[in-house]
Amino acid sequence: MLSMVEKVVTCPVCKGPNVGYEFRTARARLFGCSDCGLLFVPQSFGVNEQVLAIESLDRSHELSDSFAIASQAEQHLSRFKSRKLKSGSRFWVAGEGDRQFVDCATKNDFEPVDGSLGLIGNDSVDACVLLGILGDAAYPLEQLLSVRKVLKPGGLLLITVPTLDCAQARRQKSQWNQLGSGRLTFFDRHGLSTLLVRAGYDNIMAWLEPNGLTVLCRKNADQKDRPRLSIVLPVYNERATFEQLIETVLEKTFDTMEREIIIVESNSSDGSRELVMQYENHPEIKVIYENEPRGKGHAVRNGLNHVSGNIILIQDADLEYDVDDYDAIIEPILTFHRLFVLGSRHKGNWKMREFEQRKMLSAVFNSGQLFFTWLINVACGTRLKDPFTMYKVFHRECLYGLQLESNRFDLDWEIVIKFIRKGLVPLEIPVNYWSRSFGEGKKVRPFLDPVLWIIALLKF
């Protein structure tokens, strides 16, 4: 008879083979996927996964009627109403407290849809509600796909789910009560958001609960056949490097993605604007002209307002980073393993800043990198190696509900902190790096920018 380890071949969500034993509870052994972060109890079924998913959603769930359950139902309905769900809308609900939710929704003039999920017509329901049952089956992706079929384009999905990074799980660790509840799969906030995007949902909003999350999202009605990469490229006084950089980026090809390059030129004084103008009519390039330089952060924010792709990459116009690293840092997002990736200069072999003939300045900058990295890790409860790298790659869903406001290099802090607050702790992947000196065009101001970074940390 095969051992449990031999039976486990792939992750039930991402189908990846990089799984391993984590720990054992009184009821089961749990395995973790290093690709998508799922924690799961391995299962072997000989029937259709989609059928299993529908059966798990159709199971009856009994809960005693109580004020707390009714209050939660009212809160869920108010969140639906905030997304413009109108009276008379049709909804389907399953899970813990489903009857109380139906009673409450009916009183608010919503129309419940009875019956098995598998018998409901496609694109016929305005909203679906899963109360505590996403992930209690072995195939949560199939659960979400089954629900998506019955939702109308733009229809809403509300779920409540325990998460590995909730307050109770962090406090109780391996003694967390959900681990012994019979549930088969467990996510953290980043993994759950990635799963929802993989299943075809967007506009994800989440509210922290003591034992997990309440999430409200939308069926994506505008899914593209091919993903598109949007490269945001701010340019200011980069005449020495711009042409080489843009040609290198254009030479980079992708078999599975479309591409667009958003160049934001900030009224350079060294002739960079004239170089940028030569690319105005390129089919893959959009050029945005700013009347005055207001900082890299402002230019990046301007570029983000014009992207149309679902994967976004920030690229400087210098030559400090290697365009050939694109494949490695984009791949986790393209395969729906993560939504946010950092190309780390300091993971693996440390890529030191070495300013020629200015060794003391190099030491100051490298020491400052260590200090500010420690500071952001303490503040955010993370273990990042290089949160301030230029190579930030993320799914556009990460930006939903956020308003970025920084104008200089403090945007690096703002993006990382706000994404982490959404539960999107980045995956770091090593990249190549060659530092340039101030004489070669480095624009960090050693006295101004550190002050702005501290302000950003306190503010965000």
Side-chain angles (χ1 to χ4, degrees):
M1 184 175 179
L2 291 175
S3 70
M4 179 66 73
V5 174
E6 290 171 322
K7 287 181 181 179
V8 177
V9 178
T10 60
C11 169
V13 167
C14 72
K15 313 303 180 185
N18 299 316
V19 299
Y21 172 71
E22 294 287 337
F23 57 89
R24 184 182 185 90
T25 68
R27 299 185 62 165
R29 301 176 74 190
L30 286 106
F31 285 69
C33 175
S34 60
D35 290 330
C36 70
L38 186 76
L39 187 68
F40 64 97
V41 178
Q43 300 287 304
S44 296
F45 295 118
V47 296
N48 186 280
E49 296 175 3
Q50 198 77 26
V51 173
L52 284 170
I54 292 175
E55 290 177 351
S56 71
L57 295 172
D58 287 338
R59 286 198 295 265
S60 175
H61 295 77
E62 295 288 344
L63 279 180
S64 60
D65 194 0
S66 69
F67 174 79
I69 296 171
S71 177
Q72 289 174 356
E74 287 283 1
Q75 191 173 43
H76 297 331
L77 284 170
S78 68
R79 287 166 177 161
F80 273 129
K81 291 176 182 177
S82 71
R83 290 283 189 95
K84 311 303 181 185
L85 191 68
K86 300 177 181 179
S87 297
S89 297
R90 304 178 74 236
F91 73 93
W92 183 85
V93 59
E96 302 164 351
D98 52 353
R99 293 182 181 179
Q100 290 86 351
F101 187 93
V102 168
D103 291 341
C104 185
T106 303
K107 292 177 183 177
N108 283 269
D109 297 324
F110 293 107
E111 179 186 343
V113 177
D114 297 324
S116 168
L117 188 67
L119 300 178
I120 300 174
N122 291 349
D123 302 328
S124 61
V125 177
D126 297 293
C128 288
V129 182
L130 304 180
L131 300 171
I133 58 173
L134 176 66
D136 67 353
Y139 301 105
L141 175 60
E142 282 69 26
Q143 286 180 307
L144 291 171
L145 292 173
S146 298
V147 171
R148 191 180 188 278
K149 283 185 176 181
V150 306
L151 280 172
K152 295 178 181 178
L156 298 176
L157 169 64
L158 185 142
I159 62 176
T160 61
V161 60
T163 52
L164 292 167
D165 48 2
C166 71
Q168 287 188 10
R170 288 179 181 274
R171 184 169 58 252
Q172 297 172 0
K173 298 183 179 179
S174 62
Q175 303 303 312
W176 185 36
N177 57 4
Q178 290 292 325
L179 295 176
S181 66
R183 173 176 291 273
L184 298 180
T185 53
F186 303 88
F187 333 89
D188 59 16
R189 292 169 65 190
H190 196 164
L192 177 60
S193 296
T194 307
L195 178 65
L196 288 167
V197 171
R198 176 193 285 266
Y201 297 90
D202 63 9
N203 290 10
I204 301 168
M205 291 292 291
W207 294 268
L208 293 174
E209 310 289 354
N211 205 30
L213 292 176
T214 297
V215 177
L216 182 60
C217 55
R218 180 188 70 168
K219 175 180 176 178
N220 186 345
D222 187 32
Q223 281 193 307
K224 296 179 174 62
D225 294 332
R226 283 166 59 88
R228 173 177 289 181
L229 172 67
S230 295
I231 300 172
V232 178
L233 176 58
V235 176
Y236 177 66
N237 286 353
E238 299 289 1
R239 180 180 179 86
T241 58
F242 171 75
E243 282 189 297
Q244 182 180 347
L245 184 280
I246 191 63
E247 290 299 330
T248 303
V249 172
L250 288 172
E251 288 172 4
K252 182 69 180 174
T253 59
F254 303 94
D255 296 330
T256 59
M257 286 189 301
E258 299 175 357
R259 175 182 60 185
E260 66 176 4
I261 303 170
I262 315 295
I263 300 177
V264 184
E265 204 290 318
S266 301
N267 203 8
S268 302
S269 58
D270 70 343
S272 295
R273 172 163 289 201
E274 288 70 26
L275 296 179
V276 169
M277 292 173 66
Q278 298 175 18
Y279 295 88
E280 282 181 343
N281 298 320
H282 192 285
E284 291 185 310
I285 293 178
K286 300 178 185 176
V287 179
I288 302 165
Y289 295 110
E290 295 188 321
N291 294 327
E292 61 179 343
R294 299 178 61 183
K296 176 191 171 182
H298 184 274
V300 170
R301 291 194 294 113
N302 197 348
L304 291 175
N305 291 331
H306 292 83
V307 300
S308 62
N310 47 357
I311 300 176
I312 299 169
L313 182 149
I314 299 173
Q315 169 72 61
D316 282 353
D318 54 38
L319 302 174
E320 288 189 324
Y321 292 77
D322 189 349
V323 171
D324 284 335
D325 286 325
Y326 276 12
D327 299 291
I329 58 180
I330 292 170
E331 192 268 344
I333 303 174
L334 194 61
T335 56
F336 298 105
H337 290 153
R338 294 289 193 275
L339 297 183
F340 180 27
V341 174
L342 295 178
S344 175
R345 299 164 291 181
H346 309 315
K347 188 175 175 66
N349 294 325
W350 177 274
K351 283 83 171 178
M352 299 288 286
R353 292 177 179 83
E354 296 179 355
F355 303 143
E356 189 175 351
Q357 297 180 346
R358 302 191 71 178
K359 302 299 183 183
M360 182 61 68
L361 185 62
S362 300
V364 169
F365 266 74
N366 289 318
S367 299
Q369 171 80 24
L370 289 172
F371 170 74
F372 284 114
T373 298
W374 170 82
L375 197 61
I376 201 169
N377 280 330
V378 169
C380 296
T382 52
R383 296 181 178 179
L384 302 177
K385 297 292 186 181
D386 189 14
F388 318 117
T389 175
M390 178 272 293
Y391 268 165
K392 293 177 173 61
V393 193
F394 48 90
H395 195 282
R396 70 177 300 146
E397 181 59 34
C398 298
L399 293 172
Y400 182 74
L402 297 182
Q403 186 68 43
L404 300 177
E405 56 189 82
S406 299
N407 284 332
R408 286 190 55 79
F409 296 97
D410 46 342
L411 184 69
D412 289 329
W413 289 70
E414 183 179 1
I415 287 176
V416 170
I417 293 170
K418 286 187 173 179
F419 283 11
I420 289 173
R421 288 181 61 183
K422 291 185 72 172
L424 305 172
V425 178
L427 172 68
E428 291 189 289
I429 293 177
V431 296
N432 293 305
Y433 176 69
W434 300 272
S435 62
R436 65 174 177 172
S437 67
F438 285 92
E440 295 169 315
K442 198 169 193 68
K443 297 180 177 65
V444 173
R445 296 182 183 177
F447 296 103
L448 171 63
D449 285 309
V451 174
L452 295 178
W453 298 338
I454 298 295
I455 292 173
L457 182 68
L458 297 172
K459 185 175 182 179
F460 302 124

